[in-house]
Amino acid sequence: MMDSQKKAERYGRLYDQISGLLHKSNNMLSNMSTIIAVLHHKMDYFFWTGFYLLQDGRLQVGPYQGSLACIDLQKDTGVCWAGIQTGQTVIVDDVAAFPGHIACDARSCSEIVVPLLDQEGKLVGVLDVDSSSKSSFDEIDALWLERIVRLVYSS
Ligand code: SME
């Protein structure tokens, strides 16, 4: 596992890179896709990286990279819906121990979900990252992914 200092430094560099890339964009889909591409290819423990977006009461997959994902997540079930219900970042060290976890790929072992708010502060979805190792995500991932997700609507 990456040590804490290295992890924070890497996130700091990626944050600057993403801010620069999104600087002139006013397109949320472009912003989300760019964030996913950078994170997925620069963080080596990110096995699946993507957004799930709320629409008409359903939570459906948005821009992502990694193996084929579930398109529609059963309402009020699993980690992504827990992020929507609480409006808080959710870290799961072992997905097998999370009641209702939805396994789109059996290789996923740990997961982090970060709420996505629009410019009015309305919850519109989540960023979801899976790792194929247990306990990959901690407070450093939470802090930096929350900062990065804020760039979708305020770059
Ligand atoms: N595990 C998620 C579903 C999405 S996949 O991880 C890509 C969940 O329980 O909500």
Side-chain angles (χ1 to χ4, degrees):
M1 211 181 296
M2 200 184 288
D3 77 48
S4 300
Q5 197 188 336
K6 270 202 177 136
K7 193 191 259 198
E9 285 168 4
R10 173 139 348 153
Y11 271 121
R13 288 195 298 273
L14 296 187
Y15 181 89
D16 291 343
Q17 184 188 357
I18 291 167
S19 306
L21 287 167
L22 302 192
H23 190 56
K24 290 191 177 136
S25 166
N26 64 350
N27 182 317
M28 302 315 140
L29 207 52
S30 308
N31 292 354
M32 286 187 242
S33 305
T34 302
I35 287 170
I36 295 303
V38 172
L39 290 175
H40 192 74
H41 293 281
K42 297 281 176 70
M43 298 304 276
D44 47 15
Y45 56 102
F46 283 26
F47 170 73
W48 190 92
T49 315
F51 283 95
Y52 273 91
L53 303 171
L54 276 174
Q55 200 177 334
D56 304 326
R58 297 168 74 177
L59 194 51
Q60 294 178 307
V61 79
Y64 74 95
Q65 297 212 13
S67 52
L68 182 65
C70 316
I71 290 182
D72 211 319
L73 300 179
Q74 192 190 331
K75 196 164 170 47
D76 297 337
T77 305
V79 189
C80 292
W81 273 108
I84 295 288
Q85 286 164 330
T86 62
Q88 303 285 325
T89 295
V90 183
I91 294 174
V92 180
D93 288 334
D94 178 3
V95 295
F98 189 94
H101 167 257
I102 299 169
C104 300
D105 188 312
R107 291 170 290 179
S108 292
C109 289
S110 60
E111 184 162 356
I112 185 168
V113 163
V114 177
L116 168 68
L117 307 179
D118 70 11
Q119 60 273 54
E120 273 110 42
K122 189 170 136 234
L123 188 57
V124 291
V126 291
L127 171 71
D128 178 21
V129 185
D130 290 8
S131 160
S132 55
S133 305
K134 284 187 188 166
S135 305
S136 290
F137 305 104
D138 57 22
E139 290 310 311
I140 297 171
D141 298 276
L143 176 84
W144 283 100
L145 292 175
E146 285 167 6
R147 285 182 181 159
I148 290 169
V149 160
R150 271 185 235 129
L151 293 173
V152 172
Y153 285 93
S154 63
S155 49

